[in-house]
């Protein structure tokens, strides 16, 4: 699987939504695959741990874990080993999502572990200054998500465009190369277009797709908006 | 799958051992299945989250998660939803393992969640008084594991038989029905026999099997010892 | 100071309220002392860590810490050592308050530490089953506080009397001697009377006193209500 | 009290050592005061929360808390409020000590809180890359302490000088102004001199002073070494 992702990219975080658990995770991933194939816009999915293997078996698009622990193989019952999610078929993992935040030294350790194990690291941050702090730790991808907008349907690119532009500015000072995504509140194609226009290379979405009445149609709208941008 | 387990039972905790990750988790589970079939002693396995689906697909013996979080479906990125591990094929879950300890109110909540979702709850405890505390919360199974013996090859049934008998005595005062397992340091058939003789209904093992040169042979020895006890 | 407290008792949790921080903590403690002296109903106070020494210097009534960590002297920067709060003048400590919950094994450890160090343990619990679990660990005092009522002004004794009576029933099965307090939502003398009538030996209060316009008058009303009960 | 500290500075972390708890914390702080007065090298002390008030009452040198929580006044029983330690007499606080690590977003929040409340922030980091991450959050002081050297008597300035120089280099890229301390394993005057020579503005020490047979003499040796450097 490619360590290098094609951008722009839309990453769908399945969270622990019942609409994206088990059998329904596979169905949703297949819709993402379909849109990926039809639009040639890269779509990634981040299902729950127990769904990684079956989702990765069902689709060819990049599959991400939602979290891995800052541990190595051993006596760590109930924790998430990087090697385990990779062998199950994940190509990368979210790190420090606002709903699963880590201690700073563990973010550092997990990023190093992902490098050793061969997983793409998608480190999340809440605000511009935290984004810059995370960017100094050299993850492959940085995702900025103002937590107060999560699940609101109000995208950062609209409500707080300065959060996105400040993030880009601060992050570029300390890390010129990291891929930057933005997330929280993205629910329409125009939100995706606005985000890309502000300068990010992709979006991290969740309820906007997972809880949509027709996820395929909304995701397709997202991809179209991203496609125009790319051209 | 049966909500009621047959006892005596040997539950193998795969932890995050590399010997029991991914493909090797499936191989080990198949050996457990073989011993289960040959000896008619119930063997359960607790692989990592990302391995539950493939392990449960490969074997018929009971598969347990190593942990679930005290959450319901929703905005809980990176957490472990009970419904998710059940749909992946787990029939139960460890709770509060000494390597993944929970706040007391979360143990209570997880036990209730497992009841609602239909998972067998295997709550772990470190010492007799904590065992009694956990037993008041009415899990299906209680597992006592003195953490100082984990991975030592010195079984509680030998080094600290009074820990096991005190646990049984204290637990029975507050909960006459709960199934009791003991663990930590179990590495030979005689350790299993000694544990059952002290009055528990099964054992929770990890490195004793997973890191054995020949897990099948050791597990078979465990099962033989348990079988004699049953007769 | 007495290891044995006189009951009925009213314990005031100062939390991190600005009305009860620093100089204002001392003022509030002095009002508690005054009511204690006037009514001969025992009043305890639980100020913030940094206020324990000055509060204990200013009053003779029992002073409690709000929490201590499950640690012994050593390399534990930023943690709360039982010996430290005792030497500063505390006679006891809250444990596992719903706003500072502990892992089960740490509740067990902290109760043992308080016994060794000579502090009165006031272990908190959210509901009847958790109360019973905590009671098996033999704290000196058990405080039941349904967290959903904290700060509401609606007392458990009124909104959920069965929570209190169920707690007493379940706790007495496993621990006939522990002193039982109830808390959350207590804001008037009649709430105190109702709680004592349900069978508890005291109340744990916070905003009902700390955020009252006239804490002295409300506390005096509490003590009067408790006094009638005692007679 | 001065928001601006004089450098070079020696900050003594009292941890939860019994040698520096309660009455003995005051004694040790007085020795620090004496060395401060005799050598005109700035000495700071970081006692336990419950000792801040009495220590700050007994000495004029800067007193630091060992930790504050990422909270504001309110329903936060058992947590450490910045206003509380400041009113007790602290002029600053350690943040994210390796024994009390925080989630990244909480480090960011605590630094902002200290700015609002008027406390000097001393943010700790384990290695050069984490130091740079912390430095982007603009604390007043950054302290680098390789945790593997804590309590060993082997100073970073000797065992791993490149950790110190790499830290300075990486930190200066993202934050040219922050004061930098180093710590872990410092037990002799020459260790202090070596550290200052590598380019830091002070040291963070603990057992090297607190557990010394004669803390006054060792601290005086530290100050002499720092003094020479200053000249």
């Amino acid at each position: 699987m490619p360590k290098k992702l094609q951008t722009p990219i839309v990453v769908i975080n399945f969270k622990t939504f019942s609409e994206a658990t088990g059998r329904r995770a596979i169905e949703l991933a297949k819709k993402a695959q379909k849109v990926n194939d039809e639009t040639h816009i890269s779509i990634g999915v981040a299902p729950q741990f127990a769904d990684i293997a079956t989702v990765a078996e069902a689709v060819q698009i990049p599959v991400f874990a939602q979290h891995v622990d800052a541990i190595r193989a051993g006596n760590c019952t109930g924790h998430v080993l990087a090697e385990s999610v990779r062998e199950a078929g994940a190509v990368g993992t979210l790190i420090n999502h606002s709903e699963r935040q880590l201690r700073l030294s563990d973010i550092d350790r997990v990023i190093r572990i992902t490098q050793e194990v061969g997983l793409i690291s998608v480190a999340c941050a809440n605000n511009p200054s935290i984004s810059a702090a995370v960017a100094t730790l050299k993850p492959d991808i940085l995702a900025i998500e103002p937590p107060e907008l999560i699940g609101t349907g109000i995208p950062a690119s609209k409500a707080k465009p300065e959060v996105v532009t400040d993030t880009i500015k601060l992050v570029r000072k300390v890390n010129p190369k990291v891929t930057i995504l933005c997330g929280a509140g993205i629910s329409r194609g125009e939100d995706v277009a606005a985000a890309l226009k502000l300068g990010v290379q992709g979006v991290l979405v969740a309820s906007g797709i997972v809880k949509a009445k027709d996820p395929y149609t909304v995701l397709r709208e997202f991809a179209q908006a991203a496609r125009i941008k790319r051209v």
Side-chain angles (χ1 to χ4, degrees), chain A:
Chain A
M1 304 232 195
K3 171 80 180 160
K4 190 92 187 150
L5 293 174
Q6 178 202 334
T7 58
I9 188 167
V10 174
V11 178
I12 311 171
N13 178 1
F14 286 14
K15 297 195 174 185
T16 52
F17 291 136
S18 50
E19 294 87 349
T21 296
R23 183 181 36 79
R24 302 171 81 182
I26 298 172
E27 284 166 20
L28 184 54
K30 284 184 176 167
K31 288 174 187 163
Q33 175 80 57
K34 191 154 183 269
V35 173
N36 180 93
D37 295 347
E38 291 168 353
T39 63
H40 302 293
I41 288 296
S42 188
I43 316 280
V45 291
Q48 292 170 65
F49 307 122
D51 292 327
I52 291 173
T54 45
V55 165
E57 179 70 27
V59 297
Q60 281 75 48
I61 54 174
V63 176
F64 295 85
Q66 293 177 12
H67 161 81
V68 302
D69 280 297
I71 57 155
R72 304 318 305 254
N75 288 296
C76 300
T77 301
H79 290 81
V80 182
L81 184 69
E83 287 86 342
S84 170
V85 302
R86 193 205 46 197
E87 192 168 339
V91 299
T93 183
L94 304 186
I95 298 170
N96 193 46
H97 189 275
S98 65
E99 292 158 13
R100 191 71 166 91
Q101 292 186 51
L102 300 181
R103 303 189 310 175
L104 173 56
S105 65
D106 284 339
I107 300 175
D108 183 55
R109 207 171 309 149
V110 172
I111 290 175
R112 286 161 203 260
I113 289 171
T114 56
Q115 286 163 351
E116 286 170 41
V117 168
L119 288 170
I120 297 166
S121 51
V122 184
C124 303
N126 291 349
N127 65 33
S129 65
I130 295 175
S131 297
V134 166
T136 63
L137 302 175
K138 303 206 182 350
D140 297 308
I141 300 178
L142 174 86
I144 167 88
E145 282 199 313
E148 65 276 16
L149 298 179
I150 287 179
T152 59
I154 304 167
S157 50
K158 189 173 284 178
K160 306 196 170 186
E162 75 285 0
V163 168
V164 178
T165 50
D166 284 2
T167 295
I168 296 172
K169 203 169 60 183
L170 285 175
V171 165
R172 286 295 169 235
K173 272 191 205 167
V174 297
N175 186 329
K177 290 185 301 186
V178 65
T179 298
I180 304 177
L181 310 183
C182 77
I186 295 174
S187 57
R188 291 181 301 177
E190 61 185 271
D191 304 336
V192 175
L196 296 176
K197 206 171 162 191
L198 290 174
V200 299
Q201 282 92 58
V203 294
L204 180 57
V205 299
S207 58
I209 295 295
V210 180
K211 291 187 166 289
K213 279 190 189 162
D214 181 355
Y216 167 77
T217 304
V218 180
L219 186 54
R220 185 136 181 157
E221 190 189 312
F222 278 29
Q224 302 284 21
R227 208 176 170 187
I228 290 159
K229 169 66 190 173
R230 197 171 55 174
V231 180

